[in-house]
């Protein structure tokens, strides 16, 4: 846990404000928008220190802090905010903000240099022998309420199609679990799932994303902050996920506070 901070410390004030305001908002998208706006207004140095305190509290399973980190997850998966997240990572390293560094942990640079296949823009037929549909056509279909069409688009390789699917009100949790668990997984598809505040609030979706070996650690490691103790144990014991993810899960397990006695004799899930 971080040491005591001065009352006029802007990062401490920011952390306290986020932990108070974010849980009071019912709408998940509004939570994420508020966190983004607040952190960007504060700037990377203050934002990083505030997030370090929040991440430290979340490691101790403080509910408001975990809710703030849950609202932060879609930002960490959004390429549009990669520059800001990178700046937070630099501050965490330079200022030895250990809790934030653990939250933003990723693979070593040499492991990241492996080339990924380019995103395909060619037409794709939804049925054998059918007419190949352009990206624009598939994106338009992904907005339709047709259950049959949605089923055919769940395996689409293009992230813009998946983006539209994830916003479709007819999509179900089972559908999103299929998208998140698909192997081999494209990092761009995993990023679309991670960006969805609506779906990242679902435990099964989080686990499908985290346990998929194709999910980049910079997306999966922050999700660990939302997992229960037995879920972290499952990740730590998985032989398919990256070593950095297993290590992060073990770290979080070690930092969780001792389980309180259960008056009913059952096992605590926290």
């Amino acid at each position: 846990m971080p040491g005591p901070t001065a009352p006029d410390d802007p990062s401490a004030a920011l952390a306290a404000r986020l932990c108070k305001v974010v849980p009071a908002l019912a709408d998940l998208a509004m939570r994420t928008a508020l966190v983004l706006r607040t952190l960007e207004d504060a700037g990377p140095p203050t934002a990083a220190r505030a997030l370090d305190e929040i991440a430290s509290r979340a490691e101790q399973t403080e509910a408001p802090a975990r809710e703030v980190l849950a609202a932060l997850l879609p930002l960490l998966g959004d390429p549009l905010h990669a520059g800001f997240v990178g700046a937070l990572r630099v501050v965490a390293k330079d200022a030895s903000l250990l809790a934030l560094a653990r939250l933003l942990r990723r693979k070593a640079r040499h492991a990241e240099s492996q080339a990924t296949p380019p995103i395909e823009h060619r037409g794709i037929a939804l049925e054998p022998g059918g007419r190949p549909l352009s990206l624009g056509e598939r994106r338009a279909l992904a907005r339709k309420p047709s259950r049959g069409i949605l089923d055919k688009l769940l395996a689409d390789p293009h992230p813009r199609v998946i983006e539209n699917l994830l916003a479709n009100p007819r999509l179900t949790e089972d559908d999103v679990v299929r998208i998140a668990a698909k192997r081999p997984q494209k990092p761009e598809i995993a990023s679309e799932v991670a960006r969805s505040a609506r779906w990242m609030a679902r435990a099964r979706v989080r686990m499908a994303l985290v346990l998929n070996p194709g999910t980049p650690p910079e997306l999966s490691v922050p999700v660990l902050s939302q997992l229960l103790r037995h879920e972290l144990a499952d990740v730590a014991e998985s032989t398919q996920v990256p070593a950095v993810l297993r290590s992060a899960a073990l770290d979080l397990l070690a930092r969780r506070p001792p389980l309180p006695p259960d008056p009913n004799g059952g096992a605590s899930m926290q």
Side-chain angles (χ1 to χ4, degrees):
M1 291 289 292
T5 54
D8 58 350
D9 182 351
S11 62
L14 177 58
R17 185 163 75 252
L18 286 174
C19 286
K20 178 179 180 180
V21 175
V22 170
L25 294 175
D27 185 82
L28 298 177
M30 287 181 61
R31 289 184 175 195
T32 296
L34 173 69
V35 169
L36 172 62
R37 183 174 66 252
T38 304
L39 294 179
E40 287 186 334
D41 287 348
T46 299
R49 286 170 170 79
L51 287 176
D52 182 65
E53 181 170 340
I54 292 170
S56 181
R57 293 178 184 178
E59 290 178 347
Q60 298 300 306
T61 69
E62 290 188 20
R66 295 181 74 181
E67 292 189 54
V68 174
L69 293 190
L72 180 69
L73 292 181
L75 307 178
L76 302 181
D78 192 339
L80 292 176
H81 304 300
F84 187 75
V85 175
L88 293 176
R89 190 175 280 115
V90 169
V91 176
K93 179 181 178 181
D94 292 347
S96 298
L97 304 178
L98 302 184
L100 180 59
R102 287 190 291 271
L103 181 72
L104 301 181
R105 191 182 318 192
R106 59 179 179 175
K107 281 185 179 179
R109 288 286 185 181
H110 65 83
E112 294 181 330
S113 62
Q114 299 176 356
T116 57
I119 298 175
E120 297 181 358
H121 296 275
R122 61 181 174 81
I124 295 175
L126 298 188
E127 297 179 355
R131 178 179 69 85
L133 302 180
S134 69
L135 172 60
E137 289 175 310
R138 301 193 325 270
R139 292 191 68 182
L141 288 174
R143 301 187 186 98
K144 302 288 185 181
S146 168
R147 184 66 248 179
I149 290 177
L150 294 185
D151 286 337
K152 295 172 183 177
L153 289 173
L154 291 178
D156 197 284
H158 203 285
R160 298 287 73 78
V161 176
I162 300 302
E163 176 187 23
N164 287 6
L165 275 179
L166 293 172
N168 191 314
R170 292 293 298 274
L171 207 68
T172 68
E173 182 175 329
D174 285 344
D175 295 331
V176 184
V177 169
R178 285 175 59 188
I179 294 171
K182 186 178 184 295
R183 303 183 187 186
Q185 180 65 280
K186 291 178 176 289
E188 297 86 2
I189 301 297
S191 176
E192 290 301 325
V193 177
R195 287 173 56 196
S196 172
R198 172 191 176 193
W199 293 115
M200 288 303 290
R202 309 292 182 94
R204 291 175 59 224
V205 172
R206 291 196 297 263
M207 284 301 288
L209 192 71
V210 166
L211 291 175
N212 193 324
T215 302
E218 56 265 33
L219 298 179
S220 56
V221 168
V223 179
L224 297 179
S225 68
Q226 304 303 303
L227 301 190
L228 299 175
R229 192 181 296 266
H230 73 278
E231 293 171 330
L232 285 172
D234 288 344
V235 176
E237 293 170 4
S238 174
T239 59
Q240 309 233 339
V241 301
V244 64
L245 184 63
R246 297 198 304 273
S247 174
L250 286 170
D251 279 353
L252 271 182
L253 279 171
R255 293 176 187 281
R256 287 282 167 96
L259 292 174
D262 189 337
N264 298 319
S268 173
M269 299 293 287
Q270 188 59 64

